[in-house]
Amino acid sequence: MSDSTPRQPAGVDLSQLRVQENVDLRHLNTFHVAAQARYLVRVAGTDHLREVLRWCREEGLPFLLIGQGSNVLFKQDYPGLVIELQLLGREVVADNTEWVDVRVAAGEPWHGFVQYALKQHWYGLENLSLIPGTVGAAPVQNIGAYGVELKDFFVELEALEVASGVVQRFSAADCAFGYRQSFFKQAGKDRFVIVAVTLRLRKQQRLVLDYPGLRAALAGVAPDQLTAQQVSAAVCQLRRSKLPDPGQLGNAGSFFWNPHVSANEFAALRQRFPALPGFPDGAGFKIPAAWLIEQAGWKGFREGDVGVHRDHALVLVNYGAATGAQLVALAERIQASVVERFAIPLWPEVRIV
Ligand code: FAD
Ligand code: EPU
């Protein structure tokens, strides 16, 4: 037995902990790559969560939280406990004429909550329609789309500290949100389990239509007639036209972050590549990684069952039986060729496990 093989748990009744052994993770990652978890548990309450985390501590077992697995790639089997969070529920915790604060349990599906909010005439999340995943994972990378980010509506979250089992409250400042970034991806990674998120939604709509393509998609409707529901429908349609449905074709959305360069670097790159797109962002520019990858010749590439989607160069896909290792190898080839051509490093957005 190698040193990395976890010890057999001594004297613990796994069925009492509701832990399953040797579970196929294909249905728990949107890349649909085959990988086995040594253990898997579905957790629907915080007491159960504390119990399984204590068990991991006692056994020295690694653990991995998973919502819908729409931002993870399993490169190999997972030797510890995968914890599938299924905490459900939502409640209004504050309400006035202008806004409502809603506390949502971590296991609620994100898009389901967006639709629910729109039905209640609570506005703001319409641009974040159809993002896969759970509410609990949304703060981890401060999900964003079409000019809006989770942080724009964030009030606070509650997270259970793994070491102590104590639930702590985190303000927006504590979460240190950035572009696809937060405390929970950095110093807080694997130290806290987000159990609930409170969002402040408006009772009057204030539409955000700046993202290229969104206004054009809604051009048929007079701006003062537009509703948040129409914006949500347009966002869903745009997303469906560009991004493959993980139910049909394994993928995890954008595989890499869009790189940020200084204004000077951007000017120098533009001299060499006049068509290079860039969006002003703070002190510099954000460059679409999709453009870099397409220019490097990867769009539509396929080798065996791994590939780069034909409609979006930032989306790596599994055509069937690709392994996580094959997808990682493709990602590395793409990174190398983009560095060679543009001298710009690309960093994975997806968590490689
Ligand atoms: P998982 O993939 O299960 O987990 C992601 C990470 O969060 C892991 O590190 C996990 O350990 C951790 N985690 C999960 N739950 C918790 C918790 N409760 N507490 C602490 N840590 C936790 N993202 C965007 O931002 N914008 C987009 O437009 C977008 N489009 C996408 C389109 C497609 C087709 C796909 C497949 C993905 C897209 N994504 C997008 C990425 C993905 O939807 C988000 O990252 C989403 O928040 C992941 O949710 P999940 O529940 O699947 O998390
Ligand atoms: N482009 C290409 N080739 C392509 C696709 C796009 O050159 O094949 C260029 C075009 O210039 C286009 C630009 O890239 O204008 C931007 O493309 P798009 O609007 O599709 O957005 P993106 O930058 O690729 C980002 C997010 C998405 C989010 C959309 C909409 C990142 C890493 N990705 O994609 O998030 O949905 O904007 O806001 O920031 C995700 O995180 O998984 C994700 C899908």
Side-chain angles (χ1 to χ4, degrees):
M1 204 185 263
S2 82
D3 286 340
S4 61
T5 309
R7 286 181 294 136
Q8 280 293 326
V12 173
D13 183 350
L14 293 183
S15 62
Q16 213 176 352
L17 271 182
R18 283 167 273 165
V19 168
Q20 297 168 258
E21 280 190 82
N22 301 324
V23 182
D24 185 353
L25 293 170
R26 220 173 313 203
H27 69 290
L28 265 181
N29 73 95
T30 59
F31 263 119
H32 306 304
V33 295
Q36 280 228 328
R38 177 74 177 93
Y39 301 104
L40 174 90
V41 67
R42 297 199 171 85
V43 165
T46 44
D47 288 343
H48 188 200
L49 178 62
R50 278 191 194 92
E51 258 184 90
V52 297
L53 288 170
R54 185 170 353 103
W55 177 64
C56 287
R57 235 183 4 255
E58 286 167 5
E59 293 298 328
L61 266 185
F63 66 88
L64 175 75
L65 289 158
I66 200 128
Q68 292 180 355
S70 62
N71 215 22
V72 295
L73 175 57
F74 290 103
K75 197 181 167 185
Q76 60 223 339
D77 290 342
Y78 187 68
L81 175 71
V82 172
I83 303 175
E84 187 184 353
L85 271 191
Q86 295 188 328
L87 305 165
L88 298 178
R90 52 191 177 227
E91 58 176 322
V92 172
V93 291
D95 190 5
N96 66 23
T97 52
E98 287 174 37
W99 46 256
V100 60
D101 284 353
V102 199
R103 177 182 180 277
V104 194
E108 288 284 343
W110 174 261
H111 180 61
F113 177 66
V114 172
Q115 286 176 311
Y116 170 81
L118 285 172
K119 277 207 187 93
Q120 310 308 307
H121 305 285
W122 299 337
Y123 302 118
L125 302 183
E126 49 277 0
N127 294 39
L128 300 177
S129 297
L130 212 61
I131 298 182
T134 52
V135 167
V140 174
Q141 72 156 3
N142 178 31
I143 56 167
Y146 295 96
V148 168
E149 289 182 330
L150 177 90
K151 72 172 172 51
D152 304 335
F153 306 94
F154 182 88
V155 177
E156 63 168 19
L157 64 75
E158 291 146 65
L160 188 144
E161 189 185 26
V162 173
S164 65
V166 173
V167 173
Q168 301 180 13
R169 288 173 187 279
F170 287 76
S171 67
D174 297 331
C175 293
F177 291 125
Y179 164 63
R180 298 293 193 272
Q181 203 48 274
S182 81
F183 168 77
F184 299 97
K185 260 191 150 175
Q186 300 281 332
K189 188 177 174 195
D190 297 333
R191 285 177 46 212
F192 292 91
V193 181
I194 297 167
V195 294
V197 182
T198 300
L199 300 174
R200 178 163 297 175
L201 304 179
R202 291 188 281 268
K203 291 193 176 173
Q204 301 295 320
Q205 59 177 36
R206 199 184 307 155
L207 305 178
V208 178
L209 303 170
D210 309 326
Y211 197 88
L214 182 55
R215 198 184 285 273
L218 290 160
V221 190
D224 59 346
Q225 299 292 309
L226 266 179
T227 65
Q229 284 80 359
Q230 285 169 313
V231 173
S232 170
V235 166
C236 290
Q237 204 187 346
L238 274 173
R239 295 182 65 96
R240 288 193 178 105
S241 71
K242 292 187 195 183
L243 299 169
D245 173 357
Q248 311 287 323
L249 188 60
N251 77 92
S254 302
F255 196 89
F256 301 103
W257 283 324
N258 285 329
H260 184 273
V261 296
S262 70
N264 285 343
E265 284 171 305
F266 186 71
L269 280 162
R270 261 276 172 89
Q271 289 225 312
R272 288 179 57 211
F273 307 102
L276 176 78
F279 302 96
D281 183 42
F285 286 81
K286 215 191 262 179
I287 295 176
W291 189 88
L292 302 172
I293 296 168
E294 181 171 343
Q295 296 304 307
W298 290 102
K299 192 168 176 175
F301 172 87
R302 178 171 178 175
E303 191 172 86
D305 272 350
V306 296
V308 176
H309 195 243
R310 60 168 193 273
D311 297 330
H312 207 300
L314 196 45
V315 181
L316 269 56
V317 293
N318 171 11
Y319 284 101
T323 64
Q326 287 168 335
L327 282 157
V328 171
L330 173 60
E332 287 170 356
R333 286 169 68 189
I334 292 171
Q335 284 169 305
S337 78
V338 168
V339 164
E340 192 183 304
R341 177 111 190 247
F342 300 101
I344 298 177
L346 293 180
W347 303 105
E349 172 186 305
V350 172
R351 177 171 181 181
I352 297 165
V353 183

